[in-house]
Amino acid sequence: MSAILKAINIQLRRNINAHSCLWRLPQRTISCTSQKRAEEGDHGATVLGKRWKDTAETVVIGGGCVGVSLAYHLAKAGMKDVVLLEKSELTAGSTWHAAGLTTYYHPGINLKKIHYYSIKLYEKLEEETGQAVGFHQPGSVRIASTAARVDEMKYQMTRTHWHPTPQFLIGPEKVHELFPLLNMNKVLAGLYNPGDGHIDPYSLTMALAAGARMYGAQIYNPAPVTALTPTSDGKWDVQTPHGTIRANRIVNATGFWAREVGKMIGFEHPTIPVHHQYVVTATVPEVKALKTELPVIRDLEGSYYLRQERDGLLFGPYEKEDKMVLQDSWVRDGVPPGFGKELFESDLDRIMEHVEFAMEMVPVLKNADIINIVSGPITYTPDLLPMVGPHQGVRNYWTAIGFGYGVIHAGGMGKFLSDWIMNGEPPFDLIECDPNRYSKWTTVPFMCAKARESYGFNNVVGYPKEERFAGRPTHRVSGVYDLLKSKASMGFHAGWEQPHWFYKPGDNVGYKPSFRRTNWFEPVGRECKLVMEKVGVIDLTPFGKFMVKGKDSVKLLDRLFANVMPKVGLTNISHMLTPTGRVYAEVTVTQLAPGEFLLITGSGSELHDLRWIEREAAEGGYDVDITNVTEDIGVLGVAGPSSRKVLQKLTDEDMSDAAFKFLHCKSIKVAGVPLRAIRISYTGELGWELYMDMKDMAAVYQAIMEAGQKEGIDNFGTYAMASLRLEKGFRGWGAEMNCDTNPLEAGLDYFIKLNKPADFIGKKALQEIKANGLKRKLAYLTMDTEDIDPEGNETIWHKGKVVGNTTSGAYSYTTQQSLAFGYLPVELASVGQKVEVELLGRKYTAMVVQEPLVLTEPTRTRLQKKAKRTS
């Protein structure tokens, strides 16, 4: 069979070289000339024959399905001046040759909402626009043929039950009923999504374009953008051969041209084209004989998808890292001029392993004639997720790029971005797609290594706490990385390497992912005990760190944060809210000197938060200086009952409770090194965070470790910190609070000062929320499990009905039980209430308890002092 396929491959290569406009499917094949006439017919005239708009509210650059979807949604939402510029023809790039798969499934939480909206939109788009879209919905089945894969499906089911997504875990009999042509020898189970299927990307894009025009958007093509120039008032001059448009904002939706457009304004967007191939067969008699269309299948171990295409089959593989091909020359030299509806040369040899897998799983393929092989560019980012939203560093520049799955994302992302643009805040949390998760540390070698890894890992088992190692480390390593890298299992956080847990002799070391308790479970317990009873040191360098100073610094921060600003030498926890009162960020704020503030945020939200601060400063005209010092400052956390004793050995500063109070900040010297110390610890124990020049970090760390030998000092990692913070009832941004939650339901009332004079962002909305009463509340749950603990985003049940979801979870080593935070209806959130938390297909009894399980050190100290006074 391989010889036959190779012969076909040779012939197809000749065909591809002979035709510059090769369409991907027989029923959609039209000549280049007829396609051009169809485009001109759509517009009624060439672009020069239209009324040219000199100004626009939004200019969308790029006419693939994503860009056209955004133009459609903005116009439909009522925006009056929406312009889309396409350099050649609509769908040119990756859209026109896509396989067009649509699925409700996504392992992410809120990306399920994107997929759900897309499918619901596509179901009604033809009726709305009068344009056929070729939407088929036979469903899809993800095949499990290993025990680990079955566990993964159970894991995904509990993350889906609290969403409207239709999804079912089915047995082999049901899998065979749905897809009777399967070889069932290896099939253990399937994940079934009714309503999934495939759509014609060209027709979809044309329907969206028809809708966009119907609602008033203007589409110009061919209209390549030749330059982008920012104006002093935050607008953009968008230059084309036909004239210049002054736009209030621009959106880069240019697919594999994203880097070229980004470079016009100084950005090196980390996107790279990947060669993706799929094969189309002629009529297969067994397929033709079926009365209903086959569902799409995804053979995860074989790493390919397969669907019915008319009376034949279409299947597309994802090759392993060593065989897949990056079009890295486009990163170096740019996309060739005029490339748009061309294809790469196919290479069946590269995908033969997957072809053979497919033939084994679907035996009728062995006798099928291949009539087409499509090899075209799709765009990847380092983590395979798109870059969607406003970009930090410039005003009113948005991106909608890096879509490896643009067809299923197009509808939902168009709506998501439209809502964000129209309302001034995202409709829900989608920080995993924030373009600002990347920065200068995302070099071309890193991007290429990660894109290669992501493509090759497309169908690997998705474990909790997943780590991928290609391209690491980046230049973002702390001053103690070299001292710790051989002693710990490292995690990757916004380009940084940070210890998750540390090894000891006899430990089962290395990265051993599992859906159950694994090799780090006992060592993390050891680290928690260390911090609770002795003293531990943790590398916290990945924190995002900003300096804000200037005449209007207090005024700006009072506007941004719902808490009052701390006095000089003090620290507090503050929250930035959205206009509708949701939690945009949690930040530790310290006033170092009059009008000079240090802001500390999580590693994953560094530029996400900085963009929000910079935008408010610019739009409000505040006289401030904002500096990102994240890579300049190293941070060590020292925590535990003996932490004071250890640090006192190394400094002349009085570290006593009376002299150095909780949430106070001082400039001190430790081992002769000047630094800033804040008395705070996210473990909830006695502790300090030490902020110093990165170059001094190793010396300070070594001095602390030497000074603490008598006290039993040792290292601890982020897994132990997560367990300790949950025991203390500390909320985490991105889990208990984010753009899906308001601070009142999250139990953050203490940090929200509704009576402060400043009109902080979200204040009015919060007052209304408080007046109307809450519908749900964050609850603190304990449960007894076996060899598994909650992670967050699991479904919570009560009396057979879904009532909520967990937000984070861990094992409490101090109290010897599993615990979690979760959102529940107010009527089910009272202490003593019993519910069930679903873990790997089993429902475990959980109870709402009074938080925290373990009192924080400041609370314990306060109670001890009170007891002494009253005794």
Side-chain angles (χ1 to χ4, degrees):
M1 189 61 192
S2 296
I4 296 173
L5 292 177
K6 288 178 181 177
I8 295 171
N9 188 23
I10 293 170
Q11 183 58 46
L12 282 167
R13 288 179 183 177
R14 293 171 182 162
N15 292 342
I16 291 168
N17 290 332
H19 300 283
S20 63
C21 187
L22 176 64
W23 281 84
R24 55 181 205 82
L25 299 178
Q27 73 269 30
R28 297 179 200 152
T29 301
I30 59 177
S31 71
C32 293
T33 304
S34 63
Q35 187 216 331
K36 184 176 181 182
R37 283 199 298 267
E39 284 284 335
E40 292 177 349
D42 283 344
H43 294 295
T46 64
V47 65
L48 296 177
K50 293 182 180 180
R51 182 177 62 87
W52 181 255
K53 294 179 72 69
D54 294 321
T55 61
E57 180 71 21
T58 300
V59 168
V60 180
I61 308 169
C65 58
V66 174
V68 177
S69 174
L70 176 56
Y72 160 84
H73 281 95
L74 285 172
K76 188 175 181 178
M79 186 174 285
K80 299 302 181 184
D81 294 307
V82 179
V83 171
L84 184 144
L85 301 174
E86 162 54 43
K87 72 188 298 290
S88 57
E89 307 171 30
L90 296 185
T91 76
S94 296
T95 298
W96 75 275
H97 62 74
L101 299 180
T102 57
T103 178
Y104 284 112
Y105 176 86
H106 196 282
I109 297 303
N110 280 346
L111 275 164
K112 298 181 198 299
K113 296 181 180 179
I114 297 295
H115 287 214
Y116 185 88
Y117 177 88
S118 290
I119 288 176
K120 294 306 178 186
L121 171 67
Y122 300 166
E123 287 175 345
K124 63 185 180 183
L125 195 57
E126 182 175 346
E127 179 183 353
E128 179 184 357
T129 66
Q131 177 94 27
V133 296
F135 195 18
H136 295 244
Q137 294 183 272
S140 78
V141 181
R142 301 172 69 84
I143 303 296
S145 53
T146 67
R149 194 68 74 176
V150 175
D151 275 350
E152 179 188 27
M153 291 181 177
K154 291 177 180 177
Y155 176 71
Q156 289 301 332
M157 284 303 301
T158 189
R159 294 162 64 86
T160 301
H161 277 138
W162 58 282
H163 285 266
T165 299
Q167 185 168 291
F168 305 92
L169 183 61
I170 60 176
E173 298 81 7
K174 182 65 176 179
V175 172
H176 192 245
E177 177 187 330
L178 292 168
F179 203 111
L181 303 182
L182 280 182
N183 173 1
M184 300 298 294
N185 289 344
K186 296 181 179 179
V187 177
L188 300 177
L191 201 64
Y192 174 47
N193 290 99
D196 283 9
H198 54 97
I199 195 167
D200 175 6
Y202 178 84
S203 299
L204 168 64
T205 306
M206 292 306 159
L208 290 167
R213 295 188 192 98
M214 181 172 70
Y215 294 117
Q218 188 71 272
I219 298 175
Y220 296 110
N221 70 287
V225 172
T226 55
L228 296 168
T229 307
T231 65
S232 59
D233 58 353
K235 298 182 180 181
W236 290 90
D237 284 338
V238 183
Q239 298 175 40
T240 79
H242 312 294
T244 299
I245 302 174
R246 174 68 58 89
N248 289 354
R249 73 186 55 79
I250 56 175
V251 184
N252 181 351
T254 55
F256 54 69
W257 289 280
R259 288 181 66 86
E260 272 86 338
V261 173
K263 285 179 180 178
M264 292 181 184
I265 54 176
F267 288 121
E268 294 270 352
H269 293 312
T271 61
I272 186 169
V274 173
H275 289 224
H276 180 62
Q277 298 186 102
Y278 62 82
V279 177
V280 183
T281 76
T283 295
V284 176
E286 293 88 344
V287 174
K288 186 175 183 178
L290 295 171
K291 295 181 180 179
T292 58
E293 184 176 352
L294 291 166
V296 179
I297 65 163
R298 291 172 174 85
D299 179 2
L300 303 172
E301 306 312 318
S303 193
Y304 65 87
Y305 57 83
L306 181 146
R307 69 169 176 83
Q308 186 171 334
E309 177 56 42
R310 302 186 75 178
D311 291 330
L313 295 169
L314 178 156
F315 65 97
Y318 293 95
E319 306 97 295
K320 294 177 181 176
E321 291 180 66
D322 58 334
K323 291 188 176 180
M324 60 86 66
V325 175
L326 298 174
Q327 193 62 29
D328 49 5
S329 66
W330 290 7
V331 174
R332 182 181 63 249
D333 305 324
V335 182
F339 192 99
K341 289 201 169 179
E342 291 73 34
L343 294 168
F344 299 133
E345 192 170 301
S346 63
D347 183 0
L348 264 177
D349 292 340
R350 207 171 74 228
I351 63 173
M352 275 308 302
E353 176 184 3
H354 305 278
V355 171
E356 289 165 2
F357 274 125
M359 288 177 176
E360 181 182 3
M361 185 64 77
V362 186
V364 297
L365 272 175
K366 295 178 181 178
N367 299 316
D369 292 327
I370 295 176
I371 60 170
N372 205 354
I373 303 176
V374 173
S375 179
I378 58 174
T379 307
Y380 266 41
T381 61
D383 62 7
L384 190 53
L385 294 174
M387 299 171 62
V388 180
H391 207 289
Q392 186 270 332
V394 291
R395 295 171 65 186
N396 298 314
Y397 171 65
W398 297 60
T399 63
I401 59 177
F403 288 89
Y405 307 100
V407 172
I408 185 55
H409 284 157
M413 284 300 189
K415 173 65 171 171
F416 178 83
L417 272 177
S418 173
D419 286 352
W420 193 345
I421 289 169
M422 297 294 289
N423 302 324
E425 62 180 284
F428 49 84
D429 179 70
L430 211 58
I431 193 172
E432 62 265 43
C433 296
D434 192 312
N436 305 299
R437 68 188 186 274
Y438 298 121
S439 186
K440 293 179 180 178
W441 56 267
T442 317
T443 62
V444 170
F446 173 85
M447 174 184 68
C448 291
K450 297 304 284 188
R452 191 175 290 279
E453 176 188 58
S454 293
Y455 190 86
F457 275 50
N458 233 298
N459 290 312
V460 299
V461 175
Y463 289 102
K465 293 182 168 62
E466 183 181 65
E467 288 292 324
R468 296 185 179 182
F469 297 95
R472 294 169 53 182
T474 72
H475 79 259
R476 278 192 151 187
V477 294
S478 78
V480 296
Y481 171 72
D482 286 337
L483 297 174
L484 302 180
K485 63 183 179 181
S486 64
K487 302 177 181 179
S489 178
M490 289 286 180
F492 189 71
H493 303 272
W496 295 96
E497 299 290 328
Q498 186 175 28
H500 278 165
W501 62 280
F502 284 85
Y503 309 145
K504 292 293 181 185
D507 287 344
N508 181 7
V509 303
Y511 173 63
K512 307 289 175 60
S514 174
F515 294 102
R516 297 172 174 82
R517 292 173 186 165
T518 184
N519 62 328
W520 53 260
F521 182 78
E522 296 297 337
V524 169
R526 180 176 64 215
E527 293 174 18
C528 288
K529 183 178 175 68
L530 167 78
V531 175
M532 292 294 292
E533 297 179 0
K534 297 178 181 180
V535 55
V537 179
I538 185 171
D539 182 4
L540 297 174
T541 301
F543 282 159
K545 316 167 197 80
F546 319 129
M547 297 295 296
V548 179
K549 59 184 179 180
K551 181 170 67 73
D552 293 335
S553 60
V554 174
K555 185 178 177 183
L556 169 65
L557 298 181
D558 243 347
R559 169 67 176 159
L560 283 167
F561 292 104
N563 205 345
V564 296
M565 288 301 97
K567 296 178 181 179
V568 174
L570 297 182
T571 296
N572 71 17
I573 306 298
S574 297
H575 298 84
M576 293 192 290
L577 308 181
T578 70
T580 60
R582 294 175 297 160
V583 185
Y584 189 84
E586 181 178 74
V587 179
T588 303
V589 181
T590 303
Q591 189 165 189
L592 304 173
E596 182 177 346
F597 293 84
L598 172 65
L599 308 185
I600 306 297
T601 188
S603 59
S605 52
E606 174 194 343
L607 299 185
H608 168 271
D609 295 357
L610 182 60
R611 185 203 66 82
W612 188 266
I613 295 167
E614 289 175 338
R615 186 206 62 175
E616 182 62 27
E619 293 183 357
Y622 294 93
D623 184 1
V624 293
D625 179 59
I626 302 167
T627 308
N628 186 355
V629 294
T630 298
E631 295 188 6
D632 301 327
I633 297 177
V635 187
L636 291 173
V638 185
S642 296
S643 59
R644 176 183 284 120
K645 186 183 296 184
V646 172
L647 289 175
Q648 191 65 78
K649 297 178 185 180
L650 297 169
T651 182
D652 294 331
E653 187 73 32
D654 186 351
M655 304 297 286
S656 68
D657 187 61
F660 205 143
K661 293 182 171 62
F662 181 56
L663 293 180
H664 279 229
C665 174
K666 293 187 178 185
S667 293
I668 68 173
K669 286 186 177 181
V670 172
V673 175
L675 51 78
R676 287 191 173 94
I678 302 175
R679 189 178 157 190
I680 190 174
S681 175
Y682 289 102
T683 66
E685 293 303 302
L686 175 67
W688 280 263
E689 290 177 2
L690 308 178
Y691 293 80
M692 67 209 77
D693 283 347
M694 194 74 77
K695 63 180 174 58
D696 296 324
M697 193 176 176
V700 172
Y701 168 82
Q702 289 172 318
I704 292 172
M705 297 303 286
E706 180 65 28
Q709 290 302 303
K710 183 178 178 181
E711 288 74 21
I713 197 168
D714 213 335
N715 298 293
F716 71 102
T718 58
Y719 286 0
M721 186 168 68
S723 174
L724 292 166
R725 74 98 177 164
L726 276 167
E727 289 181 343
K728 307 304 194 308
F730 291 173
R731 280 81 170 140
W733 191 89
E736 285 70 53
M737 54 180 134
N738 54 26
C739 286
D740 295 327
T741 60
N742 70 65
L744 303 183
E745 65 188 3
L748 298 171
D749 311 53
Y750 176 81
F751 306 100
I752 307 300
K753 310 303 183 185
L754 287 172
N755 59 349
K756 83 170 188 176
D759 183 23
F760 62 83
I761 297 170
K763 183 176 185 178
K764 182 179 179 181
L766 271 191
Q767 289 170 334
E768 293 177 359
I769 291 170
K770 186 174 182 179
N772 293 333
L774 299 176
K775 295 181 179 179
R776 65 172 191 166
K777 288 181 66 177
L778 190 67
Y780 198 52
L781 302 167
T782 60
M783 67 197 81
D784 290 321
T785 63
E786 294 168 353
D787 63 342
I788 185 172
D789 299 294
E791 293 278 337
N793 295 311
E794 293 97 357
T795 300
I796 302 177
W797 299 79
H798 180 62
K799 294 183 177 180
K801 294 184 178 180
V802 175
V803 293
N805 64 280
T806 61
T807 54
S808 59
Y811 184 75
S812 167
Y813 295 90
T814 306
T815 65
Q816 299 288 293
Q817 59 190 328
S818 295
L819 69 157
F821 273 122
Y823 277 103
L824 290 170
V826 170
E827 62 272 18
L828 295 178
S830 299
V831 171
Q833 175 68 55
K834 290 187 176 180
V835 293
E836 293 176 307
V837 175
E838 182 184 349
L839 303 174
L840 282 189
R842 178 178 169 184
K843 296 174 184 175
Y844 291 87
T845 299
M847 186 167 69
V848 179
V849 298
Q850 184 67 46
E851 59 177 288
L853 283 178
V854 180
L855 294 176
T856 64
E857 179 274 333
T859 302
R860 297 197 303 267
T861 300
R862 187 173 64 250
L863 291 175
Q864 289 168 2
K865 290 179 179 179
K866 183 178 179 181
K868 287 181 180 179
R869 288 196 302 268
T870 57
S871 62

